Short mmCIF file of all heavy atoms in Angstrom, two decimals:
data_model
loop_
_atom_site.label_atom_id
_atom_site.label_comp_id
_atom_site.label_asym_id
_atom_site.label_seq_id
_atom_site.Cartn_x
_atom_site.Cartn_y
_atom_site.Cartn_z
N SER A 1 -10.68 -3.87 38.31
CA SER A 1 -9.98 -4.82 39.20
C SER A 1 -8.63 -5.22 38.61
O SER A 1 -7.64 -5.35 39.34
CB SER A 1 -10.85 -6.06 39.42
OG SER A 1 -12.05 -5.74 40.10
N ILE A 2 -8.60 -5.41 37.28
CA ILE A 2 -7.34 -5.73 36.61
C ILE A 2 -6.35 -4.58 36.79
O ILE A 2 -5.16 -4.79 37.08
CB ILE A 2 -7.58 -6.01 35.10
CG1 ILE A 2 -8.36 -7.32 34.93
CG2 ILE A 2 -6.25 -6.07 34.34
CD1 ILE A 2 -8.86 -7.55 33.50
N HIS A 3 -6.85 -3.36 36.66
CA HIS A 3 -5.99 -2.18 36.84
C HIS A 3 -5.39 -2.15 38.24
O HIS A 3 -4.17 -1.94 38.41
CB HIS A 3 -6.78 -0.90 36.59
CG HIS A 3 -6.05 0.35 36.92
ND1 HIS A 3 -4.98 0.80 36.18
CD2 HIS A 3 -6.20 1.24 37.95
CE1 HIS A 3 -4.51 1.93 36.72
NE2 HIS A 3 -5.23 2.20 37.80
N ASP A 4 -6.22 -2.38 39.24
CA ASP A 4 -5.75 -2.35 40.63
C ASP A 4 -4.70 -3.43 40.87
O ASP A 4 -3.68 -3.19 41.55
CB ASP A 4 -6.92 -2.54 41.60
CG ASP A 4 -7.87 -1.35 41.61
OD1 ASP A 4 -7.46 -0.26 41.18
OD2 ASP A 4 -9.04 -1.53 42.02
N LEU A 5 -4.92 -4.61 40.30
CA LEU A 5 -3.97 -5.72 40.46
C LEU A 5 -2.63 -5.37 39.79
O LEU A 5 -1.56 -5.56 40.39
CB LEU A 5 -4.54 -7.00 39.85
CG LEU A 5 -3.68 -8.25 40.00
CD1 LEU A 5 -3.75 -8.79 41.43
CD2 LEU A 5 -4.12 -9.34 39.02
N CYS A 6 -2.70 -4.88 38.56
CA CYS A 6 -1.48 -4.52 37.82
C CYS A 6 -0.72 -3.41 38.53
O CYS A 6 0.51 -3.48 38.69
CB CYS A 6 -1.82 -4.07 36.39
SG CYS A 6 -2.44 -5.38 35.32
N LYS A 7 -1.44 -2.40 38.96
CA LYS A 7 -0.80 -1.25 39.61
C LYS A 7 -0.08 -1.69 40.89
O LYS A 7 1.06 -1.29 41.14
CB LYS A 7 -1.85 -0.19 39.93
CG LYS A 7 -1.26 1.17 40.30
CD LYS A 7 -2.33 2.23 40.39
CE LYS A 7 -1.73 3.60 40.64
NZ LYS A 7 -0.98 4.12 39.48
N GLY A 8 -0.74 -2.55 41.68
CA GLY A 8 -0.14 -3.01 42.93
C GLY A 8 1.10 -3.85 42.71
O GLY A 8 2.13 -3.66 43.37
N LYS A 9 1.02 -4.80 41.76
CA LYS A 9 2.17 -5.68 41.50
C LYS A 9 3.33 -4.90 40.91
O LYS A 9 4.50 -5.09 41.31
CB LYS A 9 1.76 -6.82 40.57
CG LYS A 9 2.88 -7.81 40.27
CD LYS A 9 3.40 -8.45 41.55
CE LYS A 9 4.56 -9.38 41.30
NZ LYS A 9 5.10 -9.95 42.55
N LEU A 10 3.04 -4.04 39.96
CA LEU A 10 4.12 -3.26 39.33
C LEU A 10 4.77 -2.32 40.33
O LEU A 10 5.99 -2.12 40.32
CB LEU A 10 3.58 -2.50 38.12
CG LEU A 10 3.19 -3.37 36.92
CD1 LEU A 10 2.44 -2.56 35.88
CD2 LEU A 10 4.42 -4.03 36.30
N ARG A 11 3.97 -1.75 41.22
CA ARG A 11 4.53 -0.84 42.23
C ARG A 11 5.48 -1.59 43.16
O ARG A 11 6.50 -1.04 43.61
CB ARG A 11 3.40 -0.20 43.03
CG ARG A 11 3.87 0.84 44.03
CD ARG A 11 2.73 1.72 44.49
NE ARG A 11 2.38 2.72 43.49
CZ ARG A 11 1.35 3.55 43.59
NH1 ARG A 11 0.55 3.49 44.63
NH2 ARG A 11 1.13 4.45 42.64
N SER A 12 5.20 -2.88 43.43
CA SER A 12 6.11 -3.67 44.27
C SER A 12 7.46 -3.89 43.58
O SER A 12 8.45 -4.21 44.23
CB SER A 12 5.47 -5.02 44.60
OG SER A 12 5.48 -5.90 43.48
N LEU A 13 7.49 -3.71 42.25
CA LEU A 13 8.73 -3.82 41.48
C LEU A 13 9.37 -2.45 41.23
O LEU A 13 10.37 -2.36 40.51
CB LEU A 13 8.44 -4.51 40.14
CG LEU A 13 7.94 -5.95 40.19
CD1 LEU A 13 7.48 -6.42 38.82
CD2 LEU A 13 9.04 -6.87 40.72
N GLY A 14 8.77 -1.41 41.79
CA GLY A 14 9.30 -0.06 41.58
C GLY A 14 8.85 0.56 40.29
O GLY A 14 9.44 1.55 39.83
N LEU A 15 7.78 0.02 39.69
CA LEU A 15 7.28 0.50 38.41
C LEU A 15 5.90 1.13 38.59
O LEU A 15 5.19 0.86 39.55
CB LEU A 15 7.20 -0.64 37.40
CG LEU A 15 8.51 -1.38 37.12
CD1 LEU A 15 8.25 -2.62 36.27
CD2 LEU A 15 9.52 -0.47 36.42
N GLU A 16 5.50 1.97 37.61
CA GLU A 16 4.22 2.66 37.70
C GLU A 16 3.45 2.58 36.39
O GLU A 16 4.04 2.50 35.31
CB GLU A 16 4.44 4.15 38.04
CG GLU A 16 5.02 4.41 39.42
CD GLU A 16 4.03 4.12 40.55
OE1 GLU A 16 2.80 4.10 40.28
OE2 GLU A 16 4.49 3.92 41.70
N ILE A 17 2.13 2.59 36.51
CA ILE A 17 1.25 2.82 35.36
C ILE A 17 0.34 3.99 35.72
O ILE A 17 0.07 4.25 36.89
CB ILE A 17 0.41 1.58 34.98
CG1 ILE A 17 -0.35 1.03 36.19
CG2 ILE A 17 1.26 0.53 34.31
CD1 ILE A 17 -1.26 -0.14 35.84
N HIS A 18 -0.12 4.72 34.71
CA HIS A 18 -0.97 5.88 34.94
C HIS A 18 -2.33 5.46 35.47
O HIS A 18 -2.81 4.35 35.20
CB HIS A 18 -1.15 6.67 33.64
CG HIS A 18 0.11 7.28 33.12
ND1 HIS A 18 0.64 8.44 33.63
CD2 HIS A 18 0.95 6.89 32.13
CE1 HIS A 18 1.75 8.75 32.97
NE2 HIS A 18 1.96 7.82 32.06
N ASP A 19 -2.96 6.36 36.21
CA ASP A 19 -4.33 6.13 36.65
C ASP A 19 -5.27 6.21 35.46
O ASP A 19 -4.97 6.84 34.44
CB ASP A 19 -4.74 7.17 37.71
CG ASP A 19 -4.00 6.97 39.03
OD1 ASP A 19 -3.68 5.81 39.35
OD2 ASP A 19 -3.71 7.98 39.70
N ILE A 20 -6.43 5.58 35.60
CA ILE A 20 -7.45 5.65 34.56
C ILE A 20 -8.08 7.03 34.57
O ILE A 20 -8.42 7.56 35.63
CB ILE A 20 -8.54 4.57 34.80
CG1 ILE A 20 -7.92 3.18 34.82
CG2 ILE A 20 -9.63 4.66 33.73
CD1 ILE A 20 -8.84 2.11 35.37
N GLY A 21 -8.24 7.62 33.39
CA GLY A 21 -8.86 8.94 33.34
C GLY A 21 -8.77 9.54 31.96
O GLY A 21 -8.05 9.03 31.09
N PRO A 22 -9.50 10.63 31.71
CA PRO A 22 -9.47 11.29 30.40
C PRO A 22 -8.06 11.72 30.01
O PRO A 22 -7.34 12.32 30.81
CB PRO A 22 -10.38 12.52 30.61
CG PRO A 22 -11.24 12.18 31.79
CD PRO A 22 -10.39 11.31 32.67
N GLY A 23 -7.67 11.38 28.79
CA GLY A 23 -6.35 11.75 28.31
C GLY A 23 -5.22 10.89 28.84
O GLY A 23 -4.06 11.10 28.49
N SER A 24 -5.54 9.90 29.67
CA SER A 24 -4.51 9.04 30.25
C SER A 24 -4.12 7.94 29.27
O SER A 24 -4.90 7.55 28.40
CB SER A 24 -5.04 8.40 31.54
OG SER A 24 -4.14 7.44 32.04
N LYS A 25 -2.90 7.45 29.43
CA LYS A 25 -2.46 6.31 28.62
C LYS A 25 -3.12 5.01 29.10
O LYS A 25 -3.04 3.99 28.41
CB LYS A 25 -0.94 6.16 28.69
CG LYS A 25 -0.18 7.24 27.93
CD LYS A 25 1.31 6.95 27.94
CE LYS A 25 2.07 7.95 27.08
NZ LYS A 25 3.52 7.66 27.05
N THR A 26 -3.75 5.05 30.28
CA THR A 26 -4.47 3.90 30.80
C THR A 26 -5.95 4.08 30.50
O THR A 26 -6.56 5.06 30.93
CB THR A 26 -4.24 3.74 32.31
OG1 THR A 26 -2.84 3.66 32.57
CG2 THR A 26 -4.92 2.49 32.84
N GLU A 27 -6.52 3.16 29.75
CA GLU A 27 -7.89 3.31 29.26
C GLU A 27 -8.72 2.05 29.51
O GLU A 27 -8.18 0.94 29.54
CB GLU A 27 -7.90 3.57 27.76
CG GLU A 27 -7.15 4.79 27.29
CD GLU A 27 -7.16 4.91 25.78
OE1 GLU A 27 -6.82 3.92 25.10
OE2 GLU A 27 -7.53 5.99 25.28
N ILE A 28 -10.01 2.26 29.65
CA ILE A 28 -10.98 1.17 29.61
C ILE A 28 -11.93 1.47 28.45
O ILE A 28 -12.47 2.56 28.35
CB ILE A 28 -11.77 1.05 30.93
CG1 ILE A 28 -10.84 0.61 32.07
CG2 ILE A 28 -12.92 0.06 30.78
CD1 ILE A 28 -11.52 0.55 33.43
N LYS A 29 -12.10 0.51 27.56
CA LYS A 29 -12.95 0.69 26.38
C LYS A 29 -14.12 -0.29 26.41
O LYS A 29 -13.93 -1.48 26.70
CB LYS A 29 -12.14 0.47 25.10
CG LYS A 29 -11.03 1.49 24.86
CD LYS A 29 -11.58 2.84 24.46
CE LYS A 29 -10.48 3.80 24.02
NZ LYS A 29 -11.02 5.10 23.61
N GLU A 30 -15.29 0.24 26.09
CA GLU A 30 -16.48 -0.61 25.99
C GLU A 30 -16.39 -1.49 24.75
O GLU A 30 -15.62 -1.18 23.82
CB GLU A 30 -17.73 0.27 25.95
CG GLU A 30 -17.95 1.07 27.22
CD GLU A 30 -19.24 1.87 27.18
OE1 GLU A 30 -20.22 1.38 26.57
OE2 GLU A 30 -19.26 2.97 27.75
N PRO A 31 -17.19 -2.57 24.70
CA PRO A 31 -17.09 -3.51 23.57
C PRO A 31 -17.27 -2.88 22.19
O PRO A 31 -16.68 -3.34 21.22
CB PRO A 31 -18.20 -4.53 23.87
CG PRO A 31 -18.30 -4.53 25.36
CD PRO A 31 -18.07 -3.10 25.77
N HIS A 32 -18.10 -1.81 22.10
CA HIS A 32 -18.33 -1.21 20.78
C HIS A 32 -17.24 -0.21 20.40
O HIS A 32 -17.21 0.27 19.26
CB HIS A 32 -19.69 -0.50 20.76
CG HIS A 32 -19.75 0.72 21.64
ND1 HIS A 32 -20.07 0.64 22.98
CD2 HIS A 32 -19.51 2.05 21.39
CE1 HIS A 32 -20.05 1.85 23.51
NE2 HIS A 32 -19.69 2.71 22.57
N GLU A 33 -16.33 0.11 21.32
CA GLU A 33 -15.30 1.11 21.06
C GLU A 33 -14.02 0.47 20.54
O GLU A 33 -13.64 -0.62 20.95
CB GLU A 33 -14.96 1.88 22.34
CG GLU A 33 -16.09 2.75 22.87
CD GLU A 33 -15.67 3.49 24.12
OE1 GLU A 33 -15.42 2.83 25.15
OE2 GLU A 33 -15.60 4.73 24.09
N MET A 34 -13.36 1.19 19.62
CA MET A 34 -12.06 0.74 19.14
C MET A 34 -11.01 0.98 20.23
O MET A 34 -11.05 2.01 20.91
CB MET A 34 -11.66 1.49 17.87
CG MET A 34 -10.35 0.99 17.26
SD MET A 34 -9.69 2.10 16.00
CE MET A 34 -9.10 3.46 17.01
N VAL A 35 -10.08 0.05 20.37
CA VAL A 35 -8.95 0.26 21.26
C VAL A 35 -7.68 0.07 20.45
O VAL A 35 -7.61 -0.81 19.59
CB VAL A 35 -8.99 -0.72 22.47
CG1 VAL A 35 -8.89 -2.18 22.02
CG2 VAL A 35 -7.89 -0.39 23.47
N GLU A 36 -6.69 0.92 20.69
CA GLU A 36 -5.41 0.80 19.99
C GLU A 36 -4.42 0.01 20.84
O GLU A 36 -4.32 0.22 22.05
CB GLU A 36 -4.83 2.19 19.69
CG GLU A 36 -5.50 2.90 18.54
CD GLU A 36 -4.77 4.17 18.13
OE1 GLU A 36 -3.52 4.17 18.16
OE2 GLU A 36 -5.44 5.15 17.77
N PHE A 37 -3.69 -0.87 20.16
CA PHE A 37 -2.63 -1.63 20.80
C PHE A 37 -1.48 -1.76 19.82
O PHE A 37 -1.68 -2.21 18.69
CB PHE A 37 -3.15 -3.01 21.23
CG PHE A 37 -2.14 -3.86 21.94
CD1 PHE A 37 -1.48 -3.41 23.07
CD2 PHE A 37 -1.84 -5.15 21.50
CE1 PHE A 37 -0.55 -4.19 23.74
CE2 PHE A 37 -0.91 -5.94 22.15
CZ PHE A 37 -0.27 -5.46 23.29
#
């Protein structure tokens, strides 16, 4: 839901984020998984 909200708002500004998927820069990580920031 956060992804959908971000994607919609950014698109209204002429900006894009990648879709969620394998190898994508857009990721969802489970609590036990490391996430890089």
Side-chain angles (χ1 to χ4, degrees):
S1 296
I2 292 170
H3 172 70
D4 291 340
L5 183 75
C6 291
K7 194 171 185 69
K9 182 59 183 177
L10 291 170
R11 185 163 283 175
S12 74
L13 296 170
L15 302 171
E16 293 290 339
I17 52 176
H18 295 281
D19 291 328
I20 302 166
S24 173
K25 288 185 175 182
T26 304
E27 301 177 309
I28 293 177
K29 295 287 189 179
E30 296 183 34
H32 68 274
E33 293 181 294
M34 184 193 73
V35 63
E36 284 189 37
F37 182 55

